[in-house]
Amino acid sequence: MKDSIISVQNLKKSYGKHTVLDGLNFEVERGSIFALLGENGAGKTTTVRILATLIQADSGIATIAGYDTHRESESVKQKISLTGQYASVDELLTGEENLVMMGRLNHLSSNTVKKRTAELLDQFELTNAAKKRVKTYSGGMRRRLDIAISLLASPQVIFLDEPTTGLDPRSRRNMWNLIQQLAKNGVTIFLTTQYLEEADQLADKIAVIDSGKMVEEGTAEELKRMIGDEKVELTFDNAKEFQQASELLQGQVSEVEQRISIPAGSPESLRKLLNTLHEHGIEPSSVNFRKPTLDDVFMDITSRKRKEQSVHA
Amino acid sequence: MRKSKFYWALSDGWTMSGRSLKHIFREPESLLMAIGLPVAIMVMFVYIFGGAIETGTEYVNYVVPGVIITCAGFGSSLIAISVTQDMVGGLFERLRSMPLLPSSLMVGHVTGGFIRNAIATTVIFLVAILIGFRPSAGLLEWLGIIGLLALFMFSLNWLFVAIGLITKSVETANAATFPMLFLPYVSSAFVPTETMPTWLHAFADNQPMTPLIETLRGLLIGTPIGNNAWLTILWFGSLLIISFILSVVIFKRKKKE
Ligand SMILES: Nc1ncnc2c1ncn2[C@@H]1O[C@H](COP(=O)(O)OP(=O)(O)OP(=O)(O)O)[C@@H](O)[C@H]1O
Ligand SMILES: [Mg+2]
């Protein structure tokens, strides 16, 4: 039996007629990284807010470390920390002042506040900016400070709502490293994201939600197997060469765009592929690699569902 | 080391008040506005309209209580903006996910607002004296004035915390400050109410600003107070209690959203 720290059963939430969560079920294992993956408006923030005791679900049960997030919210609050979608740092205070203020509000002793502040500033590479007002910080620095604040009280579960949205690629990578470091220390991390790649990089388990419903759940490997590997896309200007190539190659063919998609496979199979074309005197106008995206997951799942339905019909 | 809930409630309130205090001096625009606007109004009334308004005393002596009230009322109303800012940003949500009484956030805004108001009010008294204000109040009267102003400020501060909690955007919170700017005009703050048209006169006589201003004026320059002191305490005492309860209730309801 797995040791799950977060357990969600048939969670529902509506705003008026608008159903935001439509019966969510999932479990998060202690010490793991769990990613809730979904597009804008899928219900990620709503789920986080329910788990972090900020709002109440209409029905269903959510527990953290065995405590009910609604009825036993005080005990839940002792175990968690929340870093919301929008940075909750104080712009007019310095980074250090932000940490000290939140440390006091976490009821740490003044020695501990001092110690943790220095440690966290160092760990999140903010020591040089410690005495500057947050107003002058970059997006990445703000995010780091925001997460540093949520670590003050050494929580067991950390909620990170879209921790990298709006960051440049470099800051995003740094953030990924930080999150992986945190997980190594044994805390459970619950993060939401719109990027498949991010969930893939970080999460032990991924739940894909769409319109408040769970559409798929599994490890990154399982999801990727489901939607296939990286693809090579060959595009042709010449219609005759395109016809020839589509007969030679085993792949998905898009007639309109004169494009063929083939699983990328190993470097060896790639070399063979290009050789085959070359031997037949066919020159594609462009060669692209494309990683499967969240779009593909949705497309794939919905098309699969449709197929299942037609089988059952 | 375990300390009581009460200890932590005070400690949290203290921490958040410290934050609000830092805000006052790091973003001095609102302090400057809370001082500058009433001073401009006072100077305008004293030098431009003052000669034409018959009040039975030096006009500057007549008008100071009204200016103070305008200043304090406007200063309080700015709280709505900072409360809304904290809600729109994530601070409020983070505090609510922590094991503390998040009402410390509200306490911080109320005390911060009070300190800003106290500074602004003092500056305005000093400017008033500079342009000829000569109060006759003794020590006891001054204590009364401070007490009444504190009651007025605290009741409005809580009212604007409640308004800030309701409003969803900073712009709306901004709009909520406007009534505080014009309400004093429809009272005995700048002109005796007898000079107004009957319907306005009736409103002006019966709105809470008028007894407050009459009481302050009485304490400052010795005009008759009558039952205005009691009316003031009744009005603003009730407002304080209602606003406080209202804030707490709205705060608790956030969970149902
Ligand atoms: N307080 C509210 N009142 C009414 N509708 C709401 C409220 N909060 C959220 N919603 C709606 O619920 C839906 C899901 O919102 P939620 O914020 O959970 O999505 P999300 O997955 O976090 O999206 P994003 O990626 O944009 O952050 C949205 O359509 C949103 O408009
Ligand atoms: Mg969201």
Side-chain angles (χ1 to χ4, degrees):
Chain A
M1 184 62 207
K2 278 187 209 156
D3 177 19
S4 64
I5 190 162
I6 303 178
S7 156
V8 168
Q9 283 161 37
N10 204 18
L11 211 57
K12 291 190 179 168
K13 176 84 187 168
S14 312
Y15 288 109
K17 281 202 177 113
H18 182 188
T19 304
V20 178
L21 296 184
D22 196 5
L24 275 189
N25 290 292
F26 58 81
E27 306 266 320
V28 178
E29 211 177 315
R30 192 183 293 272
S32 68
I33 304 185
F34 182 91
L36 198 61
L37 179 63
E39 293 177 318
N40 283 130
K44 302 183 295 295
T45 301
T46 307
T47 311
V48 168
R49 294 179 80 214
I50 291 173
L51 290 175
T53 78
L54 295 180
I55 53 170
Q56 203 179 320
D58 297 337
S59 67
I61 302 171
T63 60
I64 292 184
Y67 296 107
D68 188 288
T69 54
H70 171 49
R71 275 180 292 108
E72 297 161 303
S73 60
E74 287 311 309
S75 307
V76 170
K77 287 177 185 177
Q78 308 272 1
K79 309 251 180 283
I80 62 164
S81 79
L82 166 70
T83 303
Q85 185 165 358
Y86 305 103
S88 57
V89 288
D90 189 320
E91 304 258 310
L92 293 177
L93 302 186
T94 66
E96 188 175 29
E97 285 171 334
N98 265 288
L99 280 161
V100 169
M101 175 177 90
M102 297 309 288
R104 288 210 192 114
L105 293 177
N106 269 304
H107 300 171
L108 305 176
S109 74
S110 54
N111 276 336
T112 319
V113 170
K114 240 187 241 158
K115 202 175 115 245
R116 292 290 289 149
T117 298
E119 278 171 11
L120 288 165
L121 284 171
D122 182 51
Q123 185 186 349
F124 286 79
E125 291 170 33
L126 289 167
T127 309
N128 288 332
K131 301 244 186 292
K132 296 204 181 91
R133 290 193 196 171
V134 172
K135 220 177 198 165
T136 65
Y137 282 22
S138 71
M141 289 162 79
R142 267 167 221 241
R143 257 303 178 206
R144 293 209 301 274
L145 178 62
D146 210 13
I147 294 178
I149 289 172
S150 76
L151 296 178
L152 276 161
S154 315
Q156 291 183 20
V157 181
I158 299 176
F159 291 98
L160 301 173
D161 196 359
E162 301 197 20
T164 68
T165 303
L167 298 190
D168 61 42
R170 220 173 83 98
S171 314
R172 171 167 300 158
R173 278 200 183 273
N174 288 341
M175 189 57 74
W176 288 352
N177 283 337
L178 276 171
I179 293 172
Q180 276 158 342
Q181 287 301 321
L182 293 179
K184 280 200 190 116
N185 299 334
V187 283
T188 308
I189 296 175
F190 184 109
L191 67 91
T192 76
T193 178
Q194 304 189 22
Y195 308 109
L196 182 63
E197 192 194 358
E198 180 160 298
D200 180 14
Q201 286 284 325
L202 296 176
D204 300 308
K205 201 160 140 197
I206 302 171
V208 185
I209 62 168
D210 186 28
S211 316
K213 278 202 193 81
M214 179 85 80
V215 287
E216 207 58 66
E217 191 183 9
T219 62
E221 284 311 310
E222 286 165 347
L223 284 183
K224 270 198 281 186
R225 207 173 307 138
M226 215 183 68
I227 56 171
D229 299 319
E230 196 169 10
K231 300 258 182 4
V232 191
E233 288 185 344
L234 306 169
T235 316
F236 300 86
D237 283 341
N238 183 318
K240 224 180 85 206
E241 287 185 7
F242 167 64
Q243 283 308 329
Q244 235 184 319
S246 39
E247 280 154 31
L248 278 166
L249 306 172
Q250 313 277 322
Q252 277 180 310
V253 178
S254 160
E255 300 279 351
V256 190
E257 289 159 71
Q258 306 210 31
R259 193 173 59 205
I260 306 174
S261 304
I262 305 149
S266 64
E268 177 59 22
S269 64
L270 256 180
R271 197 175 55 79
K272 277 194 185 141
L273 174 86
L274 293 176
N275 273 348
T276 316
L277 290 179
H278 185 69
E279 280 159 16
H280 288 79
I282 304 170
E283 291 300 330
S285 62
S286 76
V287 178
N288 280 314
F289 287 91
R290 198 169 66 87
K291 285 218 165 90
T293 62
L294 196 47
D295 265 352
D296 294 326
V297 182
F298 288 123
M299 294 274 251
D300 198 82
I301 289 163
T302 42
S303 67
R304 212 154 35 97
K305 288 243 163 82
R306 227 174 284 134
K307 259 183 225 152
E308 277 168 25
Q309 271 165 6
S310 59
V311 169
H312 290 299
Chain B
M1 191 167 44
R2 286 200 50 84
K3 293 190 173 118
S4 71
K5 262 203 161 126
F6 183 69
Y7 171 88
W8 285 121
L10 282 184
S11 156
D12 296 342
W14 176 255
T15 307
M16 293 312 287
S17 306
R19 163 184 183 252
S20 296
L21 203 61
K22 280 186 185 140
H23 279 203
I24 296 177
F25 296 103
R26 293 200 186 168
E27 201 172 47
E29 291 88 346
S30 30
L31 180 62
L32 291 181
M33 197 131 92
I35 296 173
L37 212 66
V39 166
I41 292 170
M42 176 162 69
V43 169
M44 185 174 77
F45 269 88
V46 170
Y47 290 111
I48 302 177
F49 309 132
I53 303 172
E54 196 47 61
T55 59
T57 65
E58 269 302 304
Y59 186 69
V60 66
N61 286 338
Y62 178 86
V63 85
V64 164
V67 172
I68 295 290
I69 292 311
T70 311
C71 162
F74 179 67
S76 290
S77 69
L78 295 174
I79 290 180
I81 300 175
S82 31
V83 170
T84 311
Q85 268 167 352
D86 278 349
M87 285 209 311
V88 178
L91 184 66
F92 182 72
E93 298 240 303
R94 168 166 273 159
L95 293 181
R96 282 183 44 216
S97 76
M98 284 164 49
L100 52 82
L101 284 177
S103 47
S104 58
L105 180 63
M106 303 197 278
V107 173
H109 283 296
V110 169
T111 18
F114 181 76
I115 292 167
R116 186 174 57 208
N117 260 345
I119 298 171
T121 314
T122 312
V123 172
I124 287 164
F125 266 121
L126 294 178
V127 175
I129 287 169
L130 222 64
I131 63 172
F133 175 53
R134 293 293 172 265
S136 62
L139 180 66
L140 221 58
E141 282 85 7
W142 275 112
L143 285 179
I145 291 164
I146 292 171
L148 281 181
L149 281 178
L151 174 66
F152 174 69
M153 290 177 193
F154 273 114
S155 61
L156 282 188
N157 285 3
W158 278 107
L159 176 67
F160 280 100
V161 164
I163 292 175
L165 287 173
I166 298 171
T167 38
K168 297 262 187 285
S169 76
V170 176
E171 290 74 28
T172 328
N174 231 323
T177 65
F178 292 143
M180 290 323 295
L181 280 177
F182 79 80
L183 216 52
Y185 290 93
V186 207
S187 75
S188 61
F190 298 102
V191 292
T193 55
E194 298 86 57
T195 60
M196 298 175 184
T198 342
W199 58 275
L200 204 58
H201 180 180
F203 173 78
D205 271 348
N206 291 300
Q207 70 132 316
M209 299 283 195
T210 300
L212 172 65
I213 287 163
E214 288 306 315
T215 312
L216 285 178
R217 194 173 282 140
L219 290 170
L220 281 168
I221 59 170
T223 51
I225 293 177
N227 62 355
N228 280 320
W230 297 117
L231 274 177
T232 306
I233 293 174
L234 195 68
W235 267 113
F236 290 99
S238 325
L239 182 65
L240 177 62
I241 295 167
I242 293 171
S243 307
F244 178 75
I245 294 174
L246 198 66
S247 302
V248 174
V249 169
I250 298 171
F251 197 86
K252 291 232 163 100
R253 275 186 59 89
K254 291 276 161 201
K255 213 175 160 145
K256 298 249 159 46
E257 275 183 7

